[in-house]
Amino acid sequence: MGDTLTRFPLLSGLDAPHEIAAMTDAQRQALAAEMRAAIIDTVSQTGGHLGASLGTVELTIALHAELQSPRDRIVWDVGHQAYGHKLLTGRLDGFCTLRQHGGISGFLRRVESEHDVMGAGHASTSISYATGLAEAERHARQGSRAVCVIGDGALTGGMAYEGLNQAGHLGTPITVVLNDNGMSISENVGALSKLFQRVRVDPTLTRVREELERGLARLPGATEIGGKVRDATKSLWFVPGALFEALGFAYIGPIDGHDIEGVRRALRTTLEMDRPVVLHVKTVKGRGYAPAEADGEAMHGATPFVIESGKAAGKKAAGPPTYTEVFGRALVREAERDPRVIGITAAML
């Protein structure tokens, strides 16, 4: 990656990630640019999960500005959103070894850093994990906080709802950051995806809700009557917050996940509430790198590529087929032979 001190002065100068809080707005924006450049440079050489981590750069900066990691726990779900987190937590010099033998892991790895709270790569586990951490801290009375970042794709997994169910029941003081970019490995499908998509394309829903709540707050008896009217109206408009609030969570959003100061303000609000909260942020997968923004699926798990074009850097010499290729071909042959065969895949078709 060349001279990191010259190319990435802000990243190189960080002794601890919470030092970001003392930066100016302009410095945090410059830091975001450095992080994107470092991620693109490395992944173009090593391959890796490019789009997801480019989409969380500003969110990662906001999280570390408002939290004192590792005392405060940031749980990433899934781990391939967290390249920026690695850069902010002392791994810039070794980042060029990403996914190489003996190098930096492509996911979170507890033995790699005290800032890596959980070692899981995939998926839907963060809410349960953060709930356990927060409940342990509540009993120990040490005052640390737990925040988890879960993608809208990971939120389709059943374990995510076990975590929501338990945290809502206990009133666990956690912040669940829902990183909503409309993508998993490929474009999301399913009922939840349709719900979130409606909010993304129709900001009127959010504006109506905000205006309603401001108006109700001014009415006599606003706490009791306003709450009932608000809940009924949310159900009528089918706002995503109604789902989470029915499970015992407060809901904030959706907000622009690329607005560092906006995310920081929202995080401060959630951390002061001392209850379970969902903070819904909207991001763009591949943000800041045109080829990744244009083709989020191809740049999800990228092979080495030419930065200027985003095209593959060259094909490797032919070797034996992978297990995935062998299994896929065999399954297709069986399906062609027997129409009763149905393939069910969790992610990569």
Side-chain angles (χ1 to χ4, degrees):
M1 291 176 62
D3 185 352
T4 56
L5 182 60
T6 300
R7 294 195 62 208
F8 309 112
L10 291 170
L11 271 173
S12 299
L14 281 178
D15 291 321
H18 65 261
E19 293 175 358
I20 296 168
M23 291 181 173
T24 65
D25 292 350
Q27 286 175 320
R28 283 188 283 268
Q29 293 295 334
L31 177 65
E34 288 186 13
M35 291 166 66
R36 282 201 168 86
I39 292 169
I40 293 168
D41 281 4
T42 289
V43 178
S44 72
Q45 298 297 315
T46 66
H49 290 101
L50 181 68
S53 281
L54 290 177
T56 58
V57 165
E58 288 84 5
L59 173 59
T60 305
I61 291 172
L63 285 165
H64 279 293
E66 293 304 318
L67 297 164
Q68 295 274 333
S69 180
R71 188 198 69 179
D72 295 324
R73 317 299 182 87
I74 305 173
V75 182
W76 291 91
D77 187 350
V78 292
H80 59 239
Q81 299 183 94
Y83 289 180
H85 165 82
K86 288 173 179 282
L87 289 170
L88 293 182
T89 52
R91 284 168 274 186
L92 172 64
D93 288 339
F95 195 64
C96 58
T97 67
L98 182 74
R99 302 172 76 241
Q100 307 303 298
H101 179 68
I104 297 291
S105 171
F107 295 102
L108 282 304
R109 192 162 183 246
R110 292 177 66 191
V111 298
E112 191 175 286
S113 172
E114 63 181 347
H115 298 278
D116 289 4
V117 177
M118 181 177 70
H122 294 89
S124 310
T125 54
S126 62
I127 302 174
S128 295
Y129 205 101
T131 299
L133 291 171
E135 286 298 323
E137 290 297 331
R138 185 149 68 168
H139 286 287
R141 300 180 185 279
Q142 294 180 350
S144 67
R145 297 161 296 184
V147 175
C148 62
V149 183
I150 183 168
D152 51 323
L155 194 68
T156 63
M159 188 175 287
Y161 292 89
E162 294 181 15
L164 290 169
N165 178 60
Q166 185 70 357
H169 168 68
L170 296 173
T172 307
I174 63 170
T175 294
V176 176
V177 179
L178 170 56
N179 176 29
D180 178 9
N181 62 20
M183 294 282 290
S184 296
I185 291 170
S186 55
E187 187 174 352
N188 282 340
V189 297
L192 281 172
S193 174
K194 291 179 182 177
L195 173 59
F196 294 139
Q197 176 67 9
R198 184 181 174 197
V199 175
R200 279 193 296 271
V201 302
D202 188 359
T204 302
L205 294 177
T206 302
R207 187 173 66 252
V208 167
R209 172 184 173 154
E210 292 172 349
E211 291 175 355
L212 171 70
E213 293 188 346
R214 282 196 295 268
L216 290 173
R218 294 192 291 267
L219 294 176
T223 302
E224 181 178 355
I225 298 173
K228 293 178 180 177
V229 175
R230 182 183 64 241
D231 292 343
T233 305
K234 275 189 261 182
S235 298
L236 175 66
W237 283 83
F238 204 46
V239 174
L243 171 64
F244 299 113
E245 290 176 359
L247 292 171
F249 280 72
Y251 172 85
I252 297 175
I255 66 171
D256 181 1
H258 300 295
D259 176 359
I260 296 173
E261 296 312 305
V263 175
R264 289 185 67 191
R265 288 191 297 270
L267 279 169
R268 283 196 292 272
T269 298
T270 73
L271 296 170
E272 292 169 357
M273 293 175 76
D274 196 35
R275 60 166 297 184
V277 186
V278 169
L279 173 57
H280 184 175
V281 302
K282 296 185 294 182
T283 61
V284 176
K285 193 170 185 178
R287 173 83 169 200
Y289 181 54
E293 288 192 36
D295 193 343
E297 184 171 355
M299 286 293 189
H300 172 82
T303 57
F305 59 91
V306 177
I307 293 176
E308 290 75 16
S309 65
K311 296 185 181 300
K315 294 184 178 179
K316 294 182 180 179
T322 65
Y323 172 83
T324 300
E325 290 168 339
V326 172
F327 181 85
R329 291 168 185 166
L331 182 62
V332 168
R333 283 197 297 270
E334 287 301 305
E336 290 172 338
R337 184 184 64 82
D338 185 344
R340 296 174 300 172
V341 173
I342 296 175
I344 301 173
T345 175
M348 293 173 286
L349 186 62

